[in-house]
Each structure stands twice: as structure tokens, then as C-alpha cells.
Amino acid sequence: MLRWDGGVEFPFDAGALCLELPTTGGVGSYLRHEALRTPDDLARWLADCRLRLTDVRVVDDDLPAARQLRSAIWSAAHAAMTGRPLPRPSVGMINELAARPAPIPLLAGDRRSWAIATTGAQALSAIARDAIDLFGGPYAKRVRMCTAPDCELIFVDLSRPGKRRWCSMERCGNRAKQRARRR
């Protein structure tokens, strides 16, 4: 679930862990959506994202690193969407964070858990590694931005035909269909 500032929630599947991070805000006009204001905010987001990391030890240094990774992913996604080479500073930041140890997964019965307490740096490493898999793999050409005029959410199109247009059918897709019906 993605929650806008006004409290409106809607289902949003970015298709990749790394593309969930840009939904936490950013710079410029995205500053109003900033969700990572404190280390506790980052810890909460890590519990809510697809990593489902609870009890993460997030320190003050992890917050600027998360914001830098978010910017790097945003820049890489825009480059991938337009067919341009990935920006060197973004690649450098992603590689730097991916080089750190990642959380150690553990199979707990029929679900994934974590072997030891996880740090914020390990969580960011997992996100950076996911970015490497996405932008260095076959789905890099399927990174998209929602086509709604007032939405800039990015996602990877994992649909079989590769023709996904909206961030969510329940939000932007539904609004587009309503506008078309009114016309």
C-alpha cells in the first residue's frame, strides 16, 4: 500500500524493491513527500517495504545514505526509461552501497526471515543489489513511469505483454478510464 500525504491509500507494486525507495520522497518538488526524516522513519519503511525487516538498527549515518541511494535509483530509472546510459555518479553510489554486507536471509518454516539482527547499512546494501539486478538485467528496458499526467511513480513492467501504463489500476488507471468514459 502506498499512502499519499492526505492519507489516501492505494495498492502500488513497483515490481522491484529498489523502485519502492523513490516513493519515500526526494528533492525539489518531491520534498513535500519526504518520508525519511529520521532514522526511525527509515526503520519503519524497511519494515513496510518488501524486505519486511523488523528490528533494524538504523543509525544517523544511514539516513543520508538512504537518500543518496534514492537519488541514484531515481536517476538510473530515468536514464533506463529514456534509453540513455546510466549516470556514472548513480552507478558509483549503487555499487558502493552494494559492496557492503547484505542481510542474511533465513527460511523460517514456510516464510523468509532474517538470521541475525540487521543494520541499516545491510538493508541499503540489499536495495542497492536489487538495483544492480534491475538496471543490469533484462527488465531494465521495462522501467516505466505512470502515464497519468499528475503521477510520476516509477515501476518495472513485469506483465507478460509489457504494456502496463499506470502505477495502479485502482488509482491512476481507474481515473483514466473514468475520464475517457466522460468524454
Side-chain angles (χ1 to χ4, degrees), residues 32-115:
R32 65 189 167 114
H33 300 293
E34 183 60 65
L36 304 179
R37 298 182 194 282
T38 68
D40 288 341
D41 292 337
L42 178 56
R44 272 191 296 280
W45 181 81
L46 290 168
D48 290 340
C49 76
R50 66 181 67 205
L51 278 177
R52 301 283 185 248
L53 288 169
T54 55
D55 300 323
V56 180
R57 292 186 319 257
V58 177
V59 297
D60 289 341
D61 290 347
D62 295 330
L63 200 54
R67 290 177 180 158
Q68 290 171 338
L69 179 59
R70 177 178 66 195
S71 292
I73 290 168
W74 183 256
S75 295
H78 280 272
M81 285 186 279
T82 58
R84 291 179 290 123
L86 301 180
R88 282 186 152 174
S90 298
V91 170
M93 174 55 61
I94 291 168
N95 287 338
E96 178 184 327
L97 292 174
R100 298 176 181 174
I104 301 168
L106 176 71
L107 188 59
D110 61 349
R111 62 185 182 85
R112 180 183 67 184
S113 184
W114 304 100

Side-chain angles (χ1 to χ4, degrees), residues 1 5 17 32 37 63 103 141 164:
M1 265 317 168
D5 295 337
L17 167 64
R32 65 189 167 114
R37 298 182 194 282
L63 200 54
K141 292 182 182 349
R164 181 176 163 191

Side-chain angles (χ1 to χ4, degrees), residues 21 26 60 66 79 121-122 126-127 142 158 163 181:
L21 188 57
D60 289 341
Q122 287 176 305
I127 296 167
R142 285 188 165 208
L158 299 175
K163 295 183 181 190
R181 190 172 40 240

Side-chain angles (χ1 to χ4, degrees), residues 126-165:
I127 296 167
R129 290 171 188 216
D130 186 67
I132 290 170
D133 289 344
L134 175 61
F135 298 121
Y139 287 105
K141 292 182 182 349
R142 285 188 165 208
V143 174
R144 312 260 195 272
M145 181 179 287
C146 182
T147 59
D150 59 343
C151 182
E152 295 182 348
L153 288 174
I154 53 177
F155 57 89
V156 59
D157 181 359
L158 299 175
S159 68
R160 191 179 331 185
K163 295 183 181 190
R164 181 176 163 191
R165 298 175 47 197

